[in-house]
């Protein structure tokens, strides 16, 4: 049994997120949302999490879906913290 088209897309975007994270860590020592590699990681992670919601080997809502939603929440919180930090830095200037 092979991967569905959604599964293939999900996997490719997930690999893109991993590569972007590695590049960001090598270049900046962190995932830097101000740079292309950080943005690529964030967007790819969001897309991967969303596509995971459409993949279900066992049918119905399962722990994988919960994990996907948890990751989405974490990415949103990380972005909000990044935006807040950016606002504070701009306000201090």
């Amino acid at each position: 049994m092979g991967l569905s088209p959604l599964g293939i897309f999900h996997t490719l975007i997930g690999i893109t997120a991993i590569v972007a994270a590695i590049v960001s860590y090598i270049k900046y020592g962190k995932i830097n949302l101000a740079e292309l590699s950080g943005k690529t990681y964030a967007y790819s992670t969001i897309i991967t999490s969303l596509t995971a919601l459409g993949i279900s080997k066992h049918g119905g809502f399962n722990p994988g879906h919960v994990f996907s939603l948890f990751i989405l929440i974490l990415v949103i919180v990380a972005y909000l913290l990044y935006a807040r930090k950016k606002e504070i830095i701009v306000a201090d200037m």
Side-chain angles (χ1 to χ4, degrees):
M1 179 197 246
L3 290 175
S4 68
L6 180 60
I8 293 168
F9 179 73
H10 168 83
T11 302
L12 292 174
I13 297 299
I15 291 169
T16 302
I18 293 167
V19 170
I22 291 169
V23 168
S24 190
Y25 271 115
I26 290 170
K27 288 176 85 173
Y28 308 106
K30 63 181 180 178
I31 294 176
N32 187 349
L33 293 176
E35 300 297 332
L36 180 61
S37 58
K39 291 174 186 173
T40 301
Y41 169 76
Y43 294 134
S44 297
T45 300
I46 290 169
I47 293 168
T48 301
S49 294
L50 290 173
T51 57
L53 296 173
I55 299 171
S56 181
K57 198 173 197 176
H58 305 289
F61 197 74
N62 61 48
H65 293 104
V66 174
F67 189 59
S68 178
L69 293 172
F70 179 65
I71 290 170
L72 280 171
I73 291 167
L74 289 177
V75 171
I76 290 167
V77 168
Y79 176 77
L80 292 174
L81 291 172
Y82 164 75
R84 182 175 175 209
K85 180 180 176 184
K86 194 173 174 183
E87 274 181 24
I88 291 170
I89 291 171
V90 170
D92 287 342
M93 291 182 157

